[in-house]
Amino acid sequence: LQPARLRHRAPHRIVQSASATDATERESYLQYNAHAWRGVCRSVVVDATRRRVDYDADLDGKRYSAAVKRRTNGDLEERFSWDDDDAIETTLPSKDVVCDFDGSYSCDRASSLVAGTAPSFTIETGLAVSDEARIRILALYDGATGLLKRIACLDEQRVGATESTGGAALAAEVDDVFAVSGEWAGDATVRRPDNSACRVLKQDFVLRCDGERFYRGLEMRMPGDLFSTDAKTERTLLESYGEVSEPGLAYDSVVFREDGAVLCILPGCYALCPFALDEEKAFFVEAGCFVDEDDRQGQLPISVRKGIMMEGDPGTSSRFLARSVRLYAPKRELKSVTTSYHQLVDGD
């Protein structure tokens, strides 16, 4: 399996310093998410010891409602109600959230998707698909052992919205290792946990599969000292190879044995997570979703409309990839959050 050469032509993101935009970004996050949502869950259960991903008979395909309310202190209260089960009430403290200018966010917290069960250590990523649609991707770890036990995607529409979602929609047909393959070019924004510093860098992404092996390549052009304005720009290429899951499973997955991680592909989105959290080791969790934009002259996806200006040759594809990566130091200490938006420049 030979990786393709990365090509660099994509939207260019314009972002001001965090000190000037943090309040605006947090307000956008609150306004966007504090609504009533209606959704469907796509989920897999993970046997971290055997490194196997299986269909989640309990939660996959279940529908639910989520009522999210804003407190005066900036926290969000959520009442999550399965159609056929009890409601789960949680609070998302504002201090635990790292947010972006389009309403997207990520956090970690103790939570559960099943009423009455012990809360998991949950790493949650919320990605704005359009003005009226969002995706939430959850990696749930056993609170005692640190083993990954479930990956869930919550595909949500704002209650009261029309079927049209502002010209952008989740590309739900992207649901296997071949559909995600391609070259993606774009920009990324890196934030510290408290949003106190913000840097923008070029980031290009390649996914390839030959049916048995899976290649993931990430090229970044960034300062050696990420948050220094004087640091020299360096080019970094990160590559990894994984093994594709056996045919016939409900959802495709890829095991990266050297990294001890699994890539799970659900309709229109994916999550890349370590099988286990070691208190003495650094790790990262990545989540992404694929967005189709049919009328780029009419209305771009909101991440483009609010933060990206088209320069040079932006390409002709109407498919985009939104990603979020949470990087942790040992002891589960969050070090940075990278959000990025890419355009497909070469699909398989």
Side-chain angles (χ1 to χ4, degrees):
L1 180 64
Q2 295 296 323
R5 179 178 61 86
L6 291 163
R7 299 185 298 179
H8 315 299
R9 50 188 177 95
H12 177 61
R13 175 172 296 205
I14 307 298
V15 180
Q16 296 177 344
S17 64
S19 59
T21 62
D22 181 46
T24 302
E25 290 177 350
R26 194 157 296 276
E27 182 62 27
S28 296
Y29 151 75
L30 292 170
Q31 290 184 5
Y32 180 81
N33 291 282
H35 288 275
W37 301 85
R38 181 73 179 156
V40 60
C41 177
R42 300 299 181 189
S43 179
V44 294
V45 291
V46 180
D47 185 333
T49 303
R50 298 170 56 204
R51 295 191 171 185
R52 179 181 174 86
V53 175
D54 289 311
Y55 175 71
D56 187 348
D58 293 328
L59 298 185
D60 187 74
K62 290 186 65 174
R63 296 190 175 275
Y64 63 90
S65 298
V68 183
K69 297 182 178 180
R70 173 180 179 173
R71 287 181 173 177
T72 56
N73 63 358
D75 294 352
L76 291 181
E77 291 182 342
E78 178 176 359
R79 181 178 175 85
F80 186 95
S81 306
W82 296 107
D83 286 359
D84 60 352
D85 204 347
D86 295 335
I88 303 168
E89 296 185 355
T90 58
T91 298
L92 179 54
S94 175
K95 63 180 179 62
D96 295 337
V97 172
V98 178
C99 52
D100 208 339
F101 51 79
D102 64 352
S104 297
Y105 70 93
S106 68
C107 64
D108 58 53
R109 56 173 168 166
S111 67
S112 174
L113 285 175
V114 180
T117 61
S120 305
F121 175 73
T122 302
I123 298 175
E124 176 178 332
T125 300
L127 296 171
V129 174
S130 74
D131 289 332
E132 309 293 351
R134 67 177 186 174
I135 283 286
R136 289 193 285 170
I137 302 167
L138 282 64
L140 296 96
Y141 289 84
D142 185 278
T145 66
L147 296 178
L148 180 64
K149 61 181 185 179
R150 175 177 273 129
I151 297 174
C153 165
L154 305 178
D155 182 0
E156 301 176 338
Q157 297 281 329
R158 197 187 310 275
V159 173
T162 62
E163 292 185 2
S164 173
T165 56
L170 185 73
E173 68 275 15
V174 180
D175 60 0
D176 60 40
V177 290
F178 297 106
V180 302
S181 295
E183 297 180 32
W184 305 83
D187 290 352
T189 304
V190 185
R191 293 174 174 83
R192 286 179 173 160
D194 59 357
N195 279 46
S196 63
C198 174
R199 291 304 302 268
V200 180
L201 54 100
K202 298 297 295 182
Q203 202 176 75
D204 299 316
F205 198 50
V206 169
L207 301 172
R208 296 289 186 206
C209 184
D210 64 6
E212 296 182 354
R213 291 187 302 166
F214 191 90
Y215 169 80
R216 177 181 179 273
L218 177 65
E219 183 175 315
M220 299 172 288
R221 293 176 298 289
M222 56 188 287
D225 182 347
L226 190 57
F227 296 106
S228 169
T229 57
D230 300 324
K232 181 181 178 181
T233 298
E234 298 179 358
R235 186 183 297 267
T236 303
L237 177 62
L238 304 176
E239 298 179 293
S240 55
Y241 291 86
E243 301 170 10
V244 179
S245 60
E246 59 189 75
L249 297 179
Y251 300 116
D252 282 1
S253 61
V254 178
V255 174
F256 295 92
R257 297 192 178 279
E258 291 187 4
D259 302 324
V262 60
L263 171 74
C264 180
I265 302 170
L266 297 165
C269 63
Y270 71 89
L272 176 60
C273 314
F275 278 111
L277 304 183
D278 188 329
E279 291 288 332
E280 303 304 320
K281 294 182 179 180
F283 67 94
F284 72 89
V285 170
E286 175 180 328
C289 72
F290 301 91
V291 177
D292 278 338
E293 171 51 54
D294 294 330
D295 183 9
R296 297 184 56 208
Q297 298 302 317
Q299 189 175 25
L300 291 169
I302 61 178
S303 292
V304 177
R305 295 203 304 272
K306 295 184 177 179
I308 297 177
M309 298 179 61
M310 312 302 284
E311 294 183 356
D313 177 13
T316 59
S317 175
S318 62
R319 179 156 293 172
F320 295 84
L321 167 62
R323 297 171 57 244
S324 175
V325 181
R326 290 176 64 88
L327 176 63
Y328 290 82
K331 307 297 183 182
R332 302 182 189 177
E333 177 190 358
L334 181 64
K335 299 298 290 184
S336 66
V337 176
T338 301
T339 54
S340 58
Y341 205 71
H342 309 259
Q343 184 179 27
L344 180 64
V345 296
D346 184 16
D348 282 357

